[in-house]
Amino acid sequence: MPKPSRQTFRGGFPMNTATLLKAMKKILDPSRIVHGELERRLYSYDSSYLSVRGRYCPDIVVLPRSTAEVSKIMAFAYGNGVPVTPRGAGSGETCGCVPVRGGIVMDLSGWNTVEEVDVHNMQVLVRPGVVHSRLNDHLARFGLFFPPDPGSTRMCTLGGMVANNSSGMRAVKYGTTEQYVLGLEVVLPDGEVIVTGGQNCRALKNASGINLTKLFVGSEGTLGVITLIRLRVWPRPRARGIAMACFDKLEQAPAAVLDVYRAGILPSGIEILDESAIRAVNLYRPEINLPSAEAILLFEVDGNPASVEWEGQMIAEIMIKNSATVEWSTDPQRMTALWQGRSVVAAAASRLRPDGTRVFAGEDVCVPLDRVAEALRAIKDLGRKYGIAVVAYGHIGDGNIHTALVIDPDNPDEVSRLDGLVDEIHRLAVNLRGTTTGEHGVGLVRSAYSLLEHGNALERMRQVKGALDPRGIMNPGKIF
Amino acid sequence: MAFSLKENVTREYLKKCVRCGQCRYVCPVLAEAGRESASPRGKVYLAGLMQSGEVKPGPGPDSILSLCLTCGACTAECPSGLPVDRIITAARALSAEVRPYSPGRLIFRHLFSSQHLIGRIPGFTAVLRRMTALATGLSTGRPARSRIPLRCLPENKKPLIRVGYFLGCATYYLLPEVAESVVGVLRHLGCEVVVPPAYCCGLPLEVAGEADSARKLLERNRRLFKSFSLDALVTDCSSCSYHLTEKEFGLHSQPVYEFSEFLVKVLNPPVPGRELAAAVIACHEPCHLRYGRKLQDPIRQVVGIIPGAKVAKIPGGSACCGGGGTFSIRHRDLSAGILRQCTQRIKSSGARMVATVCPSCTIQITGSLKSSGIPVCHPAQLIHQSYGLTGRQQDKNKHGQTGKHEK
């Protein structure tokens, strides 16, 4: 067990689990406090590789189930300078929910009720622990859906999605989470509760005041704790189809995507799988049986049946012109298999190497559409340079490329080469006028690139943070 | 292949966990407990720490590792292909190595490993039945062995196939009527049924970390069944069938089948004559059938051929019953919560009866549905009834008994 490096928190509060436990017991039922040494260690990780290389153990974990409880915890933490790190399912890839300075971890994943589905006003109120796919299962009964579609749909919570401004496979047409957040209930670091987007507002548009909602979306838990989310939802499309195009050359795929846009077609999702990603999917789910190719593009189109059929045919024609072979499917089973196959590449990439594992590091760059081919080629070259297998896949429709790096974590040489590769991938993205992260966020993993990306705007971000959290207790060590 | 935290092979598995959290989605214990220590991912992480020696086995890891039903849902879900339930079991075994011997541990171990002796203690079976009846309302008769002979010839005396019936402990002691129905149906369908006095399959011991004791039981069973020339092994219990298949108990010469699987895959039973009156039946698929054996609908297929039986669709599919061996005793509240979810789904299906193939599920669900008046039975009992076999005199002559045995 790593020894704590400090004796007190910034506010002078003694840093030990016993004193925190005593304080938390006054606020919460003991069954919702985790204080055992081993149990706390299970809150030291998320999906990022960095989280298992470091040892970031919280001093106590709390599982609040009401805004009042969160408010009391925050008031205590603020008064005593104790760091607080909110956490959803811990499926992030950036150490975002990992308590790098110890203190309190607030596990919100069990606070998972859908409070209200306002069918008439096309919105839904959810608590932060609701898992994305469960929300959409619930909404399906009302003929509605929440469009952002992360690959981690069966893991990630809505609170985490809002805090990281997540998106996913349908961002091409439907955009990112921020476009759907109408309002938030947030507990500020000092325990004050505010409602953004209008206190009692149920309107779908709101131009009143400075948009605090957008300030909290993507703030990665550094400004406050999100306790209630008002989300805009959309009617479920009546029809859907998937075109799968297989290419002999990886570079042909990005050009084909641009041709689809030029033809005036906006698919709901455009995904790319490189040769190794195809193999990973086939290893995980052999029944999906993807054909072998250097690249596969999956186009999803949705809407009314006639337009779906027309767009599907148009995409097929464009793909054939781009030397691809095409499979067009509207069979629900096949579509589910293909889409699921794509969504599991992230973890299934580990299957490619018996003694290795996929690590989440440098995995989320996003580049301009006209630089995608260049980026793909450069990333593959970097992989060769460092002798590390790179599985490329992702949301090519908006230039968001995921790179699964497969290494043997027991091999120190590979681990040190990994660090070099990850650094170069991040810098490559910025050099190509892109960003180090399209949807996973900054957290601890990419905070070193914040200045490179934002320049003097970073200082203004720090000022905003300082205004809301002058004692710096909210998720310290992240982003800035 | 040895599967132990001391073996390198397990390290290869452990490092494949990317902590993506997809296992959280399907874990019934996590859904109820709501904390990371209950998640499969947490326990795999802990197993990694134990393997590297960073965490020593002991009561601390033990209590976290006990938060698992070994239902296998996480293993089926894991994109990285980790055998999560086996990793947890292996970690438990590591913990068990340093666990001090206590009266409780000895009783637990011998309850399964020396059950053939314990069963002879006067009054033991009566006390067991009484305790179960008090807890669940399940009232049963005397143990199966007193009713079923060692060898039973088929009704038409010309056996199509010679079947070994692996009669598991729970059915033997607590659900003897199921055993009678299994034998009756198999005989009716032309099987010669051999019922050796089997030992516990070893699963309860294995999942509790008592791997050595479990292995010994398996060997004893192997020797026992080897002495009979059998075409196939059938068990009425999905967990026995899962464990025996996992351990390659039967291999190709004596494949192991779960009863409903055997009917569907091998016997192809004719449609019974008697109609079950207004039976709306929910087919509860035990976890070890779905995730362990990866069999999706043998129960439904068997129930489906019964005239008058209407299969009720369980909304969201079958949920774990929360039994999980000693889990329901050690974590009573969690188990009750998981069971509540399971029976709520069954109730909302509109079923008036439940069919399942796991004694543990049967006992759990019976207790929970007692007040709703929804009985739980084995598909063998339903088809037995539908073939008009129930109530027939089952004396020794009719069974064609040719041997004696004792459990």
Side-chain angles (χ1 to χ4, degrees), chain A residues 118-131:
Chain A
D118 187 346
V119 179
H120 302 299
N121 291 308
M122 304 287 286
Q123 52 198 273
V124 59
L125 282 135
V126 296
R127 293 295 176 187
V130 174
V131 171

Side-chain angles (χ1 to χ4, degrees), chain A residues 4-17:
Chain A
S5 57
R6 61 197 183 283
Q7 294 307 308
T8 60
F9 290 117
R10 199 184 289 179
F13 195 78
M15 198 244 51
N16 71 52
T17 300

Side-chain angles (χ1 to χ4, degrees), chain A residues 46-69:
Chain A
D46 63 358
S47 286
S48 64
Y49 185 45
L50 186 60
S51 71
V52 285
R53 292 170 77 183
R55 286 284 188 265
Y56 307 113
C57 191
D59 296 293
I60 201 158
V61 181
V62 290
L63 294 79
R65 293 290 179 272
S66 72
T67 306
E69 285 176 350

Side-chain angles (χ1 to χ4, degrees), chain A residues 101-114:
Chain A
R101 307 252 169 92
I104 299 171
V105 159
M106 207 177 269
D107 181 351
L108 299 158
S109 64
W111 194 9
N112 54 9
T113 42
V114 177

